[in-house]
Amino acid sequence: MMKIGELSKVAGCSVQTIRHYEKEHLIASAERSEGNFRLYDEAAVEQLLFIKHCRSLDLSLPEIRQLLALNRSPGAQCDDVNQMMDRHIEQVEARIQELTKLNEQLRMLRRSCSNRRTVEQCGILRNLSATPVSSG
């Protein structure tokens, strides 16, 4: 058993994050010592590392909660997991398209000004001050 500070070091996340995940019911509430310290076991470490890995893939807390619930039913079919991952991939692909469009807009904006101009002559500032075109 370990205190929250040890768990924080072992898992590589902040104490506040651990408390937040407890509040969100992603990790089980810890047992308490006689001195009222939270105590965690190896299962808490594994669960926290699972959550961190999910977060590194930009999965949301509700998605992680669903994966944790599904993980507790090892004999069930993994269709729900696959469907969730398919939806997440679609969301990532949509964001990539949005970011690609943003990148193109920023590059076009950057090309509107050379390095040897004054702020008064700056094409970037002029373009930013222009009335925006609706994107709909």
Side-chain angles (χ1 to χ4, degrees):
M1 299 296 278
M2 65 186 90
K3 293 180 184 176
I4 196 166
E6 282 181 80
L7 177 61
S8 171
K9 288 177 186 168
V10 170
C13 64
S14 72
V15 169
Q16 292 83 2
T17 298
I18 295 168
R19 287 183 180 142
H20 178 69
Y21 290 159
E22 275 186 355
K23 182 180 160 196
E24 292 290 326
H25 304 290
L26 294 174
I27 59 175
S29 294
E31 294 179 29
R32 296 285 183 155
S33 70
E34 288 182 23
N36 205 28
F37 290 105
R38 289 181 168 107
L39 296 175
Y40 300 88
D41 58 12
E42 194 61 35
V45 174
E46 291 174 16
Q47 198 156 10
L48 198 50
L49 292 174
F50 179 89
I51 294 166
K52 276 186 61 177
H53 192 184
C54 289
R55 292 298 294 147
S56 75
L57 297 171
D58 203 31
L59 292 167
S60 68
L61 296 185
E63 289 170 326
I64 295 169
R65 190 176 294 108
Q66 184 180 0
L67 289 174
L68 288 168
L70 290 167
N71 205 23
R72 288 188 288 271
S73 302
Q77 295 293 314
C78 63
D79 295 346
D80 290 340
V81 177
N82 291 334
Q83 289 173 9
M84 178 194 298
M85 203 54 55
D86 289 341
R87 284 191 306 272
H88 193 67
I89 290 167
E90 288 173 7
Q91 291 170 354
V92 168
E93 288 173 348
R95 282 182 27 215
I96 289 170
Q97 288 177 356
E98 291 170 5
L99 289 171
T100 299
K101 188 175 180 179
L102 174 62
N103 186 37
E104 291 168 3
Q105 291 171 342
L106 290 169
R107 289 183 181 280
M108 187 169 43
L109 190 59
R110 175 58 184 97
R111 286 190 298 268
S112 71
C113 189
S114 66
N115 290 336
R116 298 179 190 234
R117 290 186 179 180
T118 64
V119 170
E120 183 179 18
Q121 300 167 327
C122 181
I124 295 171
L125 293 175
R126 284 185 182 167
N127 281 314
L128 289 173
S129 297
T131 305
V133 178
S134 78
S135 60

